[in-house]
Amino acid sequence: MRRFSWFNVTSLTFGFAFLYLPMVLLVIYSFNASKLVTVWAGFSTRWYGELLRDEQFMDAAWVTIRVALFSSTLATVLGTLAAVVMIRAGRFPGRTLFSGMIYAPLVMPEVITGLSLLLLFIGIGLDRGIFTVVLAHTTFAMCYVSVVVSSRLATFDTALEEAALDLGCSPFEAFRLVTLPIIAPAVISGWLLAFTLSLDDLVIASFTTGPSATTLPIQIFSSIRLGVSPQINALSSLLIGVVAIGVIAASLATKRRAVTQAREEQAAARVTG
Amino acid sequence: MRRFALIAVPYLWLLALFLVPFLIVLKISLSDIALSIPPYAPTLDLSAGWEGVRSFFAGLDFENFVFLTQDDLYWKAYLSSVWIAAVSTVITLLVGYPIAYGMARAAPEWRPTLLMLVILPFWTSFLIRVYSWMGILANEGFLNMVLGWFGIPPLQILATNTAVYIGIVYTYLPFMILPIYATLERMDESLLEAAEDLGCSRLTAFWLVTFPLSRGGVIAGCFLVFIPAIGEFVIPSLLGGSDTLMIGKVLWEEFFSNRDWPVASAVAIVLLLILIVPIVLFQRNEQKQREAA
């Protein structure tokens, strides 16, 4: 049945060209010596140099990394807890409200999340800065983490935990020694997701930050509002490069793990067979 | 006791940072704008006891919502957000379906790589993906340069609604491809052979067999694009023009430029009310998909 089909090849080629061409162009033009997009004035790394010397961008990058590290770690802890509650705690009063509060932020427009958190911070008189952005990012990222982790927990065999309890583990030890290692891949991808969501967020950070803490997306947004900027091309290329290397490395690692696992299983089959 | 603590931590966090803020928005949308800090009235004064609570509720009214219906700007912005989101969703479907189809029919050893290539843009900054189109669509941009080689006069695309459509289709395309791919990949291809044996042409077989079987994925993909596109702020403000009306942008300007917090809150509440219908439909579709699987 599998036939070579021109239609499929064409749609894949055009589809991936559409997805990747804009980013490829961005990277190419980041090495353009000229400020203008249409004029190619030769290869240059001038904009990268200017970017690295620009203190505003470097400060913003540092703020963003700190916010992302704190909020994604906090979100992973809270999101995993929330997932355990959703899947394991059974019935408790207010369960419907709880699951509603987990899913609602996923579909809530960012402008509304940002606005409501800002109004809360003003209402309780909290000074806006890195701390408030961390609180805001933790709140929406923990919902994503909890969705990722709870889908893994739902397929988890509770007999393993019960065996640990029978063998004398306390519930906490059973969770730490049995459950956590098994759901670890989901927890790690939840953390990565929370980290990138935080790195990426413009709208919620704009609402909840103060003048002391400008994040990278806010800085980028204010400099591209008026048009294309070669420094931003350089910055974008760096970010694209980091993501590409990270994702490719991660997928190679999973592939290698799959290969070793398959090999071990084969070896085991030979021994037992 | 331990179980109680386990539930309480995430529960209280979400109550304090999701539900309470939302109730504050609701309350401010019913307040009046005031020249004070914070810039709205009334504020709840618990020290005045019962009298304070009563005067607080007496001060609330639907004035801001009435105002939204009277000023053309708001209902036009709501309508145009829904329209822009709907048109972009249709275009995303037309672009995304063939890609998902091609992926599902590719050789099995290629599929993980293709899947990774679709997901990869997710991990790249949304802002940068939108920005990459600014250089392409600008009057002096890449597209007009290429058109110039063929002697075609330059097009004005940036700062129009067309650019907003392109931006939404580009950034939300993976949301459309992934659910459709998931349903197409699960499909039993012998059904197609059966249809062709029974005399269907390949095209009829597609319409009668493949497309209906992928309907769950198509519906899920459409909602995943449509729902967030309605409240979009970044795309219309970077790629759209000054006449591009979208409610996310209106809310932002109402809050940051006009500093009218009560009206901004009312805009947010109405936006949520509009979103409830597609969100409920989406949930129902997901439920059906889960039951079918």
Side-chain angles (χ1 to χ4, degrees):
Chain A
M1 180 64 192
R2 199 165 300 287
R3 285 168 293 202
F4 181 80
S5 145
W6 281 110
F7 176 79
N8 292 348
V9 173
T10 322
S11 63
L12 283 180
T13 315
F14 275 99
F16 285 105
F18 176 64
L19 274 176
Y20 283 92
L21 208 57
M23 286 190 259
V24 172
L25 284 172
L26 200 59
V27 176
I28 294 175
Y29 277 102
S30 73
F31 292 106
N32 188 359
S34 158
K35 240 182 146 116
L36 295 166
V37 182
T38 32
V39 186
W40 180 260
F43 181 86
S44 152
T45 52
R46 172 183 159 199
W47 307 114
Y48 288 87
E50 282 194 14
L51 177 72
L52 295 176
R53 277 192 300 275
D54 190 322
E55 266 176 37
Q56 271 188 328
F57 274 108
M58 290 297 116
D59 286 347
W62 180 226
V63 168
T64 309
I65 290 172
R66 271 188 298 170
V67 167
L69 279 176
F70 282 123
S71 66
S72 59
T73 309
L74 205 52
T76 307
V77 174
L78 286 167
T80 309
L81 270 181
V84 171
V85 170
M86 285 288 292
I87 305 289
R88 288 300 164 74
R91 289 179 176 281
F92 57 89
R95 193 180 191 284
T96 323
L97 177 65
F98 186 69
S99 74
M101 289 194 299
I102 296 271
Y103 286 105
L106 304 178
V107 287
M108 189 71 96
E110 288 170 317
V111 274
I112 297 182
T113 312
L115 177 72
S116 66
L117 282 164
L118 171 61
L119 294 176
L120 171 80
F121 295 146
I122 291 173
I124 57 175
L126 205 57
D127 270 340
R128 276 169 290 145
I130 289 189
F131 180 63
T132 46
V133 183
V134 169
L135 286 182
H137 282 182
T138 304
T139 307
F140 83 95
M142 75 176 269
C143 300
Y144 284 89
V145 173
S146 115
V147 168
V148 172
V149 174
S150 60
S151 68
R152 180 72 192 86
L153 265 181
T155 58
F156 176 85
D157 186 0
T158 44
L160 292 172
E161 249 175 34
E162 281 155 22
L165 292 175
D166 285 347
L167 293 169
C169 277
S170 72
F172 178 72
E173 280 174 330
F175 181 78
R176 190 171 59 90
L177 297 172
V178 178
T179 318
L180 204 53
I182 294 177
I183 62 169
V187 174
I188 292 170
S189 38
W191 186 87
L192 278 174
L193 186 62
F195 190 80
T196 32
L197 284 172
S198 169
L199 278 189
D200 207 16
D201 168 64
L202 165 75
V203 175
I204 294 172
S206 301
F207 274 100
T208 53
T209 192
S212 60
T214 305
T215 65
L216 203 52
I218 297 177
Q219 187 73 38
I220 295 177
F221 185 69
S222 65
S223 44
I224 59 180
R225 275 205 110 150
L226 302 171
V228 176
S229 130
Q231 265 188 15
I232 300 291
N233 289 350
L235 177 62
S236 310
S237 309
L238 287 178
L239 292 176
I240 292 172
V242 169
V243 169
I245 292 170
V247 171
I248 291 169
S251 74
L252 285 181
T254 9
K255 206 174 217 173
R256 186 182 294 167
R257 208 163 52 214
V259 169
T260 1
Q261 204 174 352
R263 226 177 261 154
E264 275 165 11
E265 274 165 18
Q266 268 175 8
R270 264 202 299 278
V271 171
T272 49
Chain B
M1 191 58 219
R2 194 176 278 153
R3 175 167 174 265
F4 178 75
L6 183 72
I7 297 174
V9 174
Y11 209 122
L12 290 178
W13 182 285
L14 285 172
L15 278 182
L17 286 150
F18 179 73
L19 197 65
V20 170
F22 181 67
L23 294 176
I24 295 177
V25 173
L26 190 63
K27 187 250 141 184
I28 293 179
S29 74
L30 300 171
S31 306
D32 295 324
I33 187 163
L35 282 174
S36 62
I37 297 169
Y40 55 85
T43 43
L44 182 55
D45 182 15
L46 280 177
S47 59
W50 176 239
E51 200 46 46
V53 176
R54 222 175 54 189
S55 72
F56 168 74
F57 277 106
L60 299 179
D61 53 48
F62 288 95
E63 220 175 347
N64 299 308
F65 292 95
V66 175
F67 175 68
L68 292 191
T69 60
Q70 283 163 349
D71 194 323
D72 274 5
L73 170 75
Y74 300 101
W75 63 263
K76 275 187 185 154
Y78 284 116
L79 277 183
S80 119
S81 300
V82 171
W83 171 250
I84 289 177
V87 172
S88 323
T89 305
V90 172
I91 305 172
T92 314
L93 176 63
L94 295 178
V95 176
Y97 199 100
I99 302 176
Y101 186 87
M103 284 168 65
R105 296 285 170 273
E109 63 268 27
W110 274 95
R111 286 183 210 162
T113 314
L114 293 173
L115 202 56
M116 196 192 83
L117 283 173
V118 171
I119 297 171
L120 192 62
F122 264 143
W123 297 95
T124 337
S125 163
F126 177 79
L127 196 54
I128 287 175
R129 279 184 287 148
V130 177
Y131 169 69
S132 67
W133 282 95
M134 289 177 70
I136 297 175
L137 300 177
N139 289 350
E140 306 277 298
F142 185 77
L143 181 70
N144 280 331
M145 182 177 86
V146 174
L147 290 180
W149 294 341
F150 298 101
I152 301 168
L155 300 171
Q156 160 79 35
I157 297 180
L158 192 67
T160 66
N161 283 1
T162 315
V164 177
Y165 293 137
I166 296 176
I168 296 178
V169 172
Y170 181 66
T171 47
Y172 289 104
L173 190 59
F175 288 107
M176 183 66 84
I177 296 178
L178 294 175
I180 298 178
Y181 169 76
T183 50
L184 284 176
E185 207 230 351
R186 269 207 309 266
M187 202 186 113
D188 183 358
E189 277 182 57
S190 57
L191 291 173
L192 277 184
E193 278 170 53
E196 287 181 30
D197 287 346
L198 292 170
C200 276
S201 73
R202 287 185 76 178
L203 200 60
T204 350
F206 173 80
W207 278 116
L208 293 179
V209 180
T210 312
F211 191 75
L213 281 173
S214 65
R215 219 180 55 196
V218 170
I219 295 173
C222 286
F223 279 124
L224 283 174
V225 175
F226 182 71
I227 294 169
I230 291 181
E232 188 53 60
F233 163 75
V234 176
I235 297 173
S237 58
L238 286 180
L239 299 177
S242 49
D243 56 336
T244 303
L245 263 185
M246 282 193 83
I247 204 66
K249 220 173 109 186
V250 170
L251 195 161
W252 180 285
E253 274 155 17
E254 208 59 67
F255 191 85
F256 285 110
S257 312
N258 300 349
R259 306 219 159 262
D260 190 339
W261 295 12
V263 167
S265 303
V267 169
I269 298 291
V270 175
L271 173 55
L272 268 187
L273 291 177
I274 293 175
L275 285 177
I276 283 176
V277 177
I279 288 172
V280 168
L281 290 174
F282 173 66
Q283 295 287 9
R284 217 176 269 171
N285 179 58
E286 289 292 284
Q287 194 76 32
K288 245 189 346 208
Q289 290 285 99
R290 265 198 298 273
E291 278 159 18

